[in-house]
Amino acid sequence: MVARVIPVEPFELVIFGGTGDLARRKILPSLYRRMKVGQMPPEARVIGAARGKMTRKAFQALVQEALSEFVAEADQTEADIQRFVEACDFVTLDALGTGGWAELGKKLRPDVTRAFYLSVGPSLFGPLAQRLSERGLVTPESRIVVEKPLGHDLASARALNKELSTPFDERQIYRIDHYLGKETVQNLMALRFANALFEPLWNARHVDHVQITVAESIGVAGRGSYYDKSGAMRDMVQNHLMQLLCLTAMEPPARFDPDAVRDEKLKVIRALDPVAPGNTVRGQYRANGVDGSYLDHVGNPDSRTESFVAIRADISNWRWAGAPFYLRTGKRLRTRMSEIAIVFKDVPHSIFPEVDEKRGNALVIRLQPDEGITLRMTIKDPGPGGMRLTEVPLDMTFADALEGQEVADAYERLIMDVIRGNQTLFMRGDEVEAAWAWTDGILAGWEAGSARPSPYDAGGSGPEDALLLLHRDGRRWREIEG
Ligand code: NAD
């Protein structure tokens, strides 16, 4: 099966922070892969902008190095790399200074779609937006791209929205949550809205509860000082888990267009009940033979920042009242794994008296590893000896189902959507603010109390309290396993 490639118009993508980690690991390799499949027109250009003094040649060498490090070897051909590198240019420019702007202005062509990707720290988002405007570089067709952290709380998110929306219209602002670019996440929408099978069951009458898990095996060593100011709630729940919750819970939009989809997501966030501290669990990993503890990694023995969080979230609307969403994410857990599990109610009456265990079907949407979808079904245990039941998965791993067709990286899709001007997979300003309003309530509850995060073993599945959060509701978490 060959992927369909929709060509895009010529564009100029300016990457502020073009020499940084995100640019080298994600943005440049994604653009290269799009060029390889024919989606980058010959006139398209990528202009790196960063404050380090650098020539065009030196930047091109950096791009070449990034491609050889972060693009699969099979996709690296000399001719393609050369073609991509030739499309790259560089301007030395300090976001807070005056030099370099005129040079950047001269490099941009007036008749070509312009995208400014701010791959720099969030404190530079506002100043860069302002300077782009002051220097007259914002055309009606220009786009600006930003990525988390989009604020630290509701007040700072509002301030950031204001800074961005002074020079740019909302239709020009692309707030990336790269989870929305994942193939499986979009498949969640296809599964729900392109198949008649599940939608009639997609509500609290048939769904017992939903579990959303994003588990990471790595700790915070190396980025401890950043992480300690953020924590799992701000770093993961406010954005990624919230987006997964929205796509799982939202009503069918009337059309698959940016505002129709985002209106429905916003309604979900606004229907979330405030969460009492008793419906949350915070954890911090402790050393377990192998590695240091969270407190060692952040170098702060008194830190109360959570490296794990579990939450019972309730959505007060007709579809979901009575079916909670349990969210869980953490660092240094047993394995790296992300999934959404829709756990259906058990049969209303079992005609198999020897079976006493509850066996609701579960639809599991796996984001990683091995993106795919599994439906857990109950069947008869084969063989004679009475009516024993067992569970089997109906499994679809995308890599197998799509016959080896490569699943594109989330950034490839998102960057091309920026160029095409399609905001469906990007967060709107009001959505981000609503998510912060809900998150702030939880953070305030924690701050008001004196409890410390519960310790959990590095390499385990999180604190004991997280198990109890479900046990007390007569439920249990799915295993964290790869
Ligand atoms: P980085 O420190 O590796 O790179 C920062 C870049 O910004 C460099 O090119 C640097 O030259 C440039 N820069 C710094 N100050 C500047 C100034 N005053 N004027 C012009 N250029 C300046 O950082 P990174 O990891 O690439 O992250 C960039 C942003 O993306 C951050 O906000 C980060 O939170 C976010 N982010 C990063 C990742 C990732 O995987 N690295 C993932 C998601 C979000």
Side-chain angles (χ1 to χ4, degrees):
M1 212 187 296
V2 176
R4 205 155 55 93
V5 173
I6 305 168
V8 299
E9 297 293 311
F11 63 89
E12 289 175 334
L13 179 73
V14 181
I15 311 173
F16 291 99
T19 57
D21 179 66
L22 180 64
R24 289 187 309 110
R25 258 178 346 103
K26 289 290 180 187
I27 307 172
L28 294 164
S30 296
L31 281 162
Y32 169 80
R33 283 190 289 264
R34 288 293 97 194
M35 184 204 75
K36 243 184 110 63
V37 297
Q39 223 175 14
M40 196 164 141
E43 311 89 325
R45 282 182 322 140
V46 179
I47 303 173
R51 69 177 160 184
K53 204 149 188 57
M54 194 178 255
T55 60
R56 175 173 190 237
K57 275 268 160 285
F59 181 64
Q60 289 178 329
L62 177 144
V63 173
Q64 189 157 356
E65 232 170 75
L67 299 184
S68 67
E69 193 173 351
F70 297 112
V71 171
E73 226 165 279
D75 289 335
Q76 296 182 28
T77 61
E78 207 169 320
D80 287 330
I81 291 183
Q82 212 39 52
R83 186 151 66 93
F84 185 79
V85 161
E86 276 306 315
C88 292
D89 201 346
F90 187 78
V91 182
T92 297
L93 175 156
D94 188 331
L96 302 172
T98 49
W101 289 96
E103 192 189 342
L104 177 61
K106 272 193 221 128
K107 286 186 191 284
L108 296 171
R109 287 168 291 174
D111 53 334
V112 171
T113 298
R114 247 173 230 189
F116 301 109
Y117 198 131
L118 309 195
S119 180
V120 291
S123 62
L124 298 178
F125 292 171
L128 275 169
Q130 196 187 343
R131 279 182 178 62
L132 284 167
S133 162
E134 283 166 4
R135 299 281 167 168
L137 301 182
V138 183
T139 56
E141 279 312 306
S142 293
R143 286 121 213 214
I144 188 162
V145 186
V146 289
E147 193 165 348
K148 78 169 186 184
L150 300 176
H152 188 73
D153 54 15
L154 176 58
S156 53
R158 274 197 183 132
L160 173 61
N161 277 342
K162 196 151 177 263
E163 286 177 311
L164 296 176
S165 63
T166 308
F168 293 90
D169 288 343
E170 182 61 38
R171 68 172 177 85
Q172 297 175 287
I173 306 173
Y174 289 74
R175 297 177 190 81
I176 288 191
D177 185 315
H178 73 270
Y179 272 52
L180 292 177
K182 285 181 187 282
E183 194 71 20
T184 345
V185 175
Q186 289 164 72
N187 252 310
L188 174 57
M189 288 190 276
L191 186 79
R192 287 192 59 195
F193 306 133
N195 295 281
L197 188 61
F198 291 112
E199 202 49 29
L201 306 177
W202 210 265
N203 55 58
R205 276 189 300 289
H206 300 285
V207 172
D208 180 71
H209 70 282
V210 174
Q211 297 185 15
I212 301 181
T213 301
V214 177
E216 293 179 278
S217 54
I218 52 165
V220 301
R223 60 191 282 258
S225 61
Y226 159 76
Y227 191 87
D228 203 36
K229 290 192 211 83
S230 164
M233 190 71 201
R234 290 185 169 98
D235 192 46
M236 299 297 289
V237 178
Q238 187 276 341
N239 37 62
H240 305 319
L241 278 86
M242 177 64 84
Q243 290 298 322
L244 300 181
L245 178 145
C246 285
L247 293 181
T248 309
M250 73 182 186
E251 295 300 316
R255 292 171 304 283
F256 190 59
D257 80 25
D259 279 329
V261 170
R262 297 183 304 174
D263 285 346
E264 295 306 337
K265 282 161 59 193
L266 181 62
K267 282 188 215 161
V268 173
I269 306 175
R270 290 192 172 150
L272 280 168
D273 287 350
V275 182
N279 278 337
T280 70
V281 172
R282 279 179 297 163
Q284 269 180 354
Y285 61 85
R286 63 183 162 210
N288 187 19
V290 208
D291 197 358
S293 68
Y294 177 80
L295 299 175
D296 297 334
H297 287 163
V298 299
N300 174 7
D302 299 320
S303 170
R304 285 175 180 236
T305 305
E306 74 290 351
S307 61
F308 174 97
V309 61
I311 294 172
R312 176 187 157 132
D314 288 276
I315 304 173
S316 281
N317 63 17
W318 276 44
R319 187 184 283 267
W320 293 113
F325 280 59
Y326 296 98
L327 313 179
R328 163 177 69 157
T329 182
K331 298 273 180 202
R332 208 59 194 90
L333 294 171
R334 182 171 301 139
T335 186
R336 179 163 178 256
M337 165 270 221
S338 306
E339 65 170 36
I340 303 166
I342 321 292
V343 181
F344 290 92
K345 287 189 170 156
D346 202 0
V347 292
H349 163 69
S350 173
I351 63 165
F352 307 111
E354 62 268 37
V355 180
D356 49 11
E357 203 192 326
K358 281 188 165 229
R359 297 174 173 274
N361 300 108
L363 177 72
V364 181
I365 295 138
R366 242 182 3 259
L367 277 65
Q368 63 193 19
D370 306 327
E371 291 194 57
I373 294 172
T374 303
L375 183 60
R376 201 181 67 204
M377 305 282 291
T378 300
I379 61 162
K380 179 188 167 297
D381 204 5
M387 194 64 176
R388 297 182 314 269
L389 302 182
T390 189
E391 280 178 2
V392 289
L394 286 181
D395 195 49
M396 185 184 77
T397 299
F398 289 164
D400 302 338
L402 300 176
E403 295 169 10
Q405 182 183 314
E406 236 182 83
V407 177
D409 186 273
Y411 281 88
E412 291 179 47
R413 169 169 301 104
L414 294 173
I415 294 171
M416 285 301 124
D417 278 354
V418 171
I419 304 302
R420 286 191 207 101
N422 183 349
Q423 289 184 304
T424 311
L425 300 177
F426 297 81
M427 295 175 294
R428 209 167 55 191
D430 51 2
E431 237 185 290
V432 174
E433 289 183 17
W436 273 119
W438 182 79
T439 308
D440 276 4
I442 296 173
L443 293 166
W446 290 345
E447 271 157 35
S450 55
R452 296 187 66 87
S454 313
Y456 62 93
D457 284 342
S461 49
E464 194 70 22
D465 298 353
L467 303 181
L468 297 176
L469 185 73
L470 264 71
H471 278 183
R472 67 171 197 201
D473 295 346
R475 299 175 174 121
R476 63 164 190 252
W477 289 109
R478 290 170 44 78
E479 290 295 321
I480 293 182
E481 57 194 4

